[in-house]
Amino acid sequence: MKLSAAIAVLAAALAEGHYTFPSIANTADWQYVRITTNFQSNGPVTDVNSDQIRCYERNPGTGAPGIYNVTAGTTINYNAKSSISHPGPMAFYIAKVPAGQSAATWDGKGAVWSKIHQEMPHFGTSLTWDSNGRTSMPVTIPRCLQDGEYLLRAEHIALHSAGSPGGAQFYISCAQLSVTGGSGTWNPRNKVSFPGAYKATDPGILINIYYPVPTSYTPAGPPVDTC
Ligand SMILES: *[C@@H]1O[C@H](CO)[C@@H](O)[C@H](O)[C@H]1NC(C)=O
Ligand SMILES: [Cu+2]
C-alpha cells in the first residue's frame, strides 16, 4: 500500500470519537454554555459559511440558563467531553455583549469576535498538538477587559482528514460570562465575524498534516489580540 493510501485509511479510522465543549470551570454541562446542535451526536461543523460556525447553537435565541461571574485576569478551564480526540489547534475568541443586550440572549452576530488564544503545533513526523487527548483547556480572561457581559467561544479544529475542502471538523461552543475587575483598556484590533472569519481553503483549514509533513502552520482567522 502506498503511504498516501495508508494515511487515508488511518484518517478514516480516526474519524470516530467526536466531542463537545459543554462546560467551564467546575460547573454543570450546559449551565453556562449554550447547548450545541451536537450535544448528543458529538459531531462537527464542517461548513465554515454556516451560521453554526459561530456558536453551534441548537436553539438560537434561547441561550444557556446562567451567566458565569469571572474576574478579569483569571484562568478558567473550558471542558471537553469526553476528550479532544483528534489532532488540531484549540482557539478561544471573546465578544463583548452590546449595551442594552444580555449574554443570555445576544446572538453574537457581526464583526465582534477577538481571538484571545491560539494553540500552535509541534513539528515532527506529523503535526501534533498538546490539546490532543485532553479533557479541558485553560483560557485566561484578559485582565484589561471592560467590565460587562461577554460570550466566550471555544473552538477546536480537527485536522485529521483536512486534506480536502470540507474535511476539517469544527468543535465549538459559547459560554456566557459576566466579567468584573478588569482595567478597562481592552482595545482589540482584529475583530472578525462568524461566519466570515474563515474560508474552506485557508491554509490552516485545508491541510494534510501527515504527508508531506508540513514545516509551518498558519492558523485560521485573525491574529491574537492582547492587552
Ligand atoms: C453573579 O454576580 C451577581 C452580582 O453580584 C449576582 O447577583 C449573581 O447571583 C452572581 N451569579 C452567580 C451565578 O453566582
Ligand atoms: Cu470525530
Side-chain angles (χ1 to χ4, degrees):
M1 198 185 300
K2 288 175 63 179
L3 182 58
S4 56
I7 287 162
V9 170
L10 178 65
L14 289 171
E16 298 304 319
H18 302 320
Y19 36 100
T20 59
F21 288 98
S23 68
I24 52 173
N26 299 311
T27 65
D29 291 355
W30 315 120
Q31 178 64 26
Y32 299 102
V33 174
R34 295 179 176 183
I35 194 164
T36 51
T37 303
N38 69 339
F39 81 110
Q40 288 175 316
S41 74
N42 297 338
V45 180
T46 55
D47 179 0
V48 297
N49 297 312
S50 159
D51 261 354
Q52 294 272 282
I53 201 75
R54 189 181 313 118
C55 290
Y56 208 178
E57 285 179 78
R58 178 182 181 231
N59 306 316
T62 303
I67 300 175
Y68 185 75
N69 291 337
V70 62
T71 304
T74 304
T75 298
I76 60 173
N77 277 332
Y78 211 119
N79 304 311
K81 194 174 184 175
S82 50
S83 72
I84 302 169
S85 56
H86 295 309
M90 191 80 205
F92 291 100
Y93 291 76
I94 203 162
K96 190 165 197 309
V97 177
Q101 305 237 36
S102 167
T105 51
W106 180 52
D107 60 18
K109 288 182 181 167
V112 294
W113 295 94
S114 312
K115 188 188 280 180
I116 58 170
H117 179 75
Q118 174 67 56
E119 182 187 12
M120 290 298 285
H122 301 285
F123 300 94
T125 54
S126 72
L127 298 192
T128 57
W129 280 265
D130 288 341
S131 58
N132 201 181
R134 291 185 59 142
T135 55
S136 69
M137 289 296 288
V139 54
T140 300
I141 307 305
R143 58 179 167 71
C144 63
L145 290 185
Q146 288 81 24
D147 289 357
E149 294 186 349
Y150 290 81
L151 294 181
L152 173 64
R153 177 180 176 277
E155 173 195 84
H156 186 259
I157 309 180
L159 295 175
H160 56 292
S161 54
S164 54
Q169 302 182 349
F170 295 79
Y171 297 89
I172 297 161
S173 72
C174 291
Q176 301 172 172
L177 304 182
S178 177
V179 177
T180 53
S183 65
T185 57
W186 179 241
N187 182 26
R189 304 191 181 272
N190 303 292
K191 290 195 278 191
V192 295
S193 62
F194 290 102
Y198 300 158
K199 294 196 299 294
T201 53
D202 284 343
I205 293 174
L206 178 59
I207 181 173
N208 185 327
I209 62 170
Y210 301 107
Y211 188 83
V213 183
T215 54
S216 65
Y217 182 72
T218 305
V224 171
D225 272 311
T226 57
C227 286

